[in-house]
Amino acid sequence: MTEATIKTTSDQPDFGNYVSLLKPRVMSLVVFTAAVGLIVAPGSMNIVLAFASVLFIALGAGASGSLNMWWDADIDSIMKRTQGRPVPSGKVSANNAMLVGLWMSVLSVGMLGLASNWFAAGLLAFTIFFYAVVYSMWLKRSTPQNIVIGGAAGAFPPMVGWVAASGSISYEAIGMFMLIFMWTPPHFWALALFMNEDYSKAGIPMLTVTHGKRSTRNHILTYTILLTPFSVGLAFTSIGGPVYFVLSIILSLLFLLGAFKLFKREEKIAIEDNYLEERKVFKFSLFYLFLLFTALLIEASFRSYDVRLIAWPQVF
Amino acid sequence: MTDDEIRKIRKKNNSMLGLILVAFVILVFSITVAKMMGGATMEAYDHVRRPQLEQIN
């Protein structure tokens, strides 16, 4: 084509716009949890295949992020938090976001199948389907339980990593799944507490919008209590151990304390300090998950050097 | 945005895409090598029976 076809009026998307279509911050968490799932799994995996597997699991997560941005462009443009995303800001057309998402899905699932096995690839395909269709298209706009069930999408990566390395699902993989699954609701509800206006303006039935902030605070405490046995219980599987156990106890107590503070707080006080405690709990929850998975890595490195407590009870 | 600026952005986009494609080729090649070293089947059935591929029970 000649230069006459260059559009001078509209924005020219640059490469970074397409990168942010894949939600790089979510991807970094996926890279980490999937890599841990893959490393702590039994059996040894070729380093190139392991790297490729993690890369394509992350790309699959990016693909679902892109599909989410295509589908949610209307509500993203209303919410302050998401207005700058490439589709609502007009950098990338919704149609292109959809195409990027679909092709990346096909590529990531196909390549994961070739690099590891087709069970892992099928699980990744299901994860993308769950996030893009079940969560984004269906649950997000219809029920305040949206993030509770939708959290499963974020919980799959370590399990996909595990299956990529070992070829099958086991208690430990389900344990890691449950840890993220139970962690998601208090994490997002803490965010929703200080994002309320955004969600209500966009008409998303977050718990804060449908049942109010009081109820959300109760829910955060309840779910944090429910999370604790899953978090600590992982210590007594083959991937856990004393380091993980001690860390999970400390982190769980801190998380419970934070959740309890949110539970006790009056809305008036929260508004006065601009949701300081809520922001703290939200940030801490990220730190919590990151450290627990790091502890799993530490336990795995002990095992690889055959350092272990003989008397450590392995219940599951 | 002027034509010149747009051309600059497009050049950058294209070279990034080029780099990614080259990286992808290298990755696929590395996966192939890794799978071969891991003992993946290097022969497959053609249009005729291949007795050497059949499992001996």
Side-chain angles (χ1 to χ4, degrees):
Chain A
M1 284 284 158
T2 56
E3 267 146 46
T5 61
I6 291 178
K7 286 184 285 177
T8 48
T9 46
S10 82
D11 290 328
Q12 173 66 41
D14 82 16
F15 201 76
N17 297 135
Y18 281 94
V19 173
S20 53
L21 212 51
L22 306 180
K23 301 194 174 180
R25 275 189 301 174
V26 174
M27 261 171 108
S28 63
L29 202 61
V30 170
V31 166
F32 182 63
T33 58
V36 172
L38 189 142
I39 292 166
V40 301
S44 65
M45 198 179 187
N46 178 294
I47 183 83
V48 174
L49 299 182
F51 170 80
S53 299
V54 172
L55 180 73
F56 290 115
I57 294 170
L59 203 63
S64 58
S66 187
L67 289 172
N68 169 275
M69 288 202 200
W70 154 63
W71 187 259
D72 280 348
D74 56 336
I75 49 181
D76 280 353
S77 67
I78 299 169
M79 300 200 293
K80 247 189 245 154
R81 182 170 74 92
T82 51
Q83 269 168 357
R85 285 179 177 177
V87 179
S89 69
K91 283 288 186 183
V92 176
S93 72
N95 199 46
N96 276 355
M98 180 197 68
L99 288 174
V100 166
L102 284 179
W103 282 110
M104 292 282 236
S105 303
V106 171
L107 182 81
S108 59
V109 170
M111 287 305 296
L112 181 65
L114 292 172
S116 63
N117 57 66
W118 293 100
F119 184 21
L123 213 52
L124 179 65
F126 182 72
T127 307
I128 297 171
F129 168 79
F130 200 91
Y131 185 74
V133 177
V134 178
Y135 171 71
S136 295
M137 295 185 185
W138 178 36
L139 295 170
K140 188 173 178 181
R141 297 176 196 225
S142 61
T143 162
Q145 296 296 308
N146 50 11
I147 50 163
V148 178
I149 307 164
F156 273 115
M159 193 187 243
V160 181
W162 177 281
V163 172
S166 70
S168 62
I169 292 178
S170 68
Y171 287 123
E172 296 87 341
I174 295 169
M176 287 187 290
F177 176 90
M178 286 310 292
L179 173 60
I180 303 185
F181 183 67
M182 297 305 296
W183 164 89
T184 311
H187 168 75
F188 269 108
W189 283 330
L191 172 77
L193 279 178
F194 56 89
M195 288 281 171
N196 194 15
E197 284 72 41
D198 261 7
Y199 286 123
S200 56
K201 255 194 283 173
I204 304 174
M206 284 299 269
L207 200 60
T208 44
V209 179
T210 58
H211 293 70
K213 294 196 175 180
R214 182 64 259 157
S215 167
T216 306
R217 289 172 192 281
N218 304 348
H219 273 75
I220 290 176
L221 182 61
T222 313
Y223 273 78
T224 310
I225 293 168
L226 290 174
L227 162 68
T228 305
F230 288 102
S231 162
V232 178
L234 209 52
F236 304 105
T237 64
S238 73
I239 57 172
V243 175
Y244 178 89
F245 177 70
V246 171
L247 206 65
S248 70
I249 292 282
I250 297 170
L251 288 168
S252 292
L253 286 176
L254 289 172
F255 202 176
L256 284 167
L257 186 72
F260 187 70
K261 271 189 194 162
L262 296 197
F263 171 73
K264 292 288 279 180
R265 255 154 90 86
E266 294 293 330
E267 193 55 30
K268 253 197 283 176
I269 301 163
I271 294 170
E272 263 169 33
D273 66 8
N274 197 19
Y275 297 98
L276 188 69
E277 289 296 331
E278 287 75 5
R279 285 171 209 273
K280 269 192 204 161
V281 169
F282 175 73
K283 269 187 205 153
F284 175 78
S285 65
L286 277 167
F287 187 63
Y288 171 95
L289 196 67
F290 177 76
L291 277 188
L292 286 182
F293 272 80
T294 307
L296 290 178
L297 269 188
I298 295 170
E299 293 289 355
S301 66
F302 281 156
R303 277 198 304 282
S304 71
Y305 290 107
D306 227 21
V307 180
R308 61 185 86 204
L309 280 182
I310 298 164
W312 189 255
Q314 198 179 299
V315 186
F316 305 105
Chain B
M1 237 185 258
T2 64
D3 277 11
D4 207 38
E5 280 169 332
I6 289 177
R7 223 173 278 118
K8 253 187 209 160
I9 294 174
R10 287 191 176 174
K11 195 174 177 191
K12 189 186 142 217
N13 289 355
N14 291 338
S15 46
M16 287 301 283
L17 191 60
L19 277 177
I20 286 177
L21 288 173
V22 170
F24 185 68
V25 168
I26 294 169
L27 185 68
V28 170
F29 182 68
S30 316
I31 290 174
T32 311
V33 172
K35 292 214 106 174
M36 288 306 199
M37 292 203 308
T41 318
M42 294 184 209
E43 290 182 78
Y45 288 98
D46 206 332
H47 298 288
V48 291
R49 218 178 126 232
R50 303 276 301 275
Q52 68 270 37
L53 290 181
E54 278 160 27
Q55 297 270 322
I56 300 155
N57 294 311

